[in-house]
Amino acid sequence: SKSPSLRQNTLVRYFIMKSSNLQNIEISQQKGIWSTTPSNERKLNAAFWESSLVYLIFSVQGSGHFQGFARMDSSIGYEKSQDWGSAGFGGVFKVEWIRKESIPFQFAHNLLNPWNDNKKVQ
């Protein structure tokens, strides 16, 4: 796959990635990979190819925190990973973790999503 830095587009995209558990995020941080549901794959792959950078902001459902953020470093392939132990995930892709830290949602309370009725980003 082509590195984001080699693409000419200057558009930067951001996605909130909700995980059902902290273990999946720890695996991602250790191995530099992520996998998501097939319904998310099309959006993420399109963003990867159409944007110069794609940032993924991770949060465990119900935690009230962000667990950090990473840059999407490859498109999503067909290879699956057994690391997550779920048949519901699609292909694996590379991520480079930029920050691995638990950050309470309240620290980002001023961030609003204009594509979601200006609701808080969390």
Side-chain angles (χ1 to χ4, degrees), residues 31-106:
K31 296 189 173 192
I33 59 173
W34 188 250
S35 185
T36 189
T37 60
S39 62
N40 288 334
E41 287 183 337
R42 192 175 318 112
K43 291 178 203 169
L44 289 174
N45 265 341
F48 181 79
W49 291 113
E50 295 166 3
S51 309
S52 59
L53 290 169
V54 177
Y55 289 108
L56 308 175
I57 304 162
F58 292 86
S59 177
V60 174
Q61 291 176 350
S63 69
H65 289 75
F66 296 112
Q67 279 69 40
F69 66 97
R71 182 179 67 236
M72 189 173 175
D73 263 356
S74 75
S75 61
I76 303 168
Y78 296 105
E79 179 185 340
K80 297 190 183 232
S81 173
Q82 299 305 313
D83 290 312
W84 284 271
S86 171
F89 289 117
V92 173
F93 60 98
K94 294 178 185 177
V95 295
E96 180 181 337
W97 280 84
I98 298 166
R99 186 145 189 178
K100 303 174 188 179
E101 185 176 341
S102 184
I103 303 164
F105 288 159
Q106 64 198 29

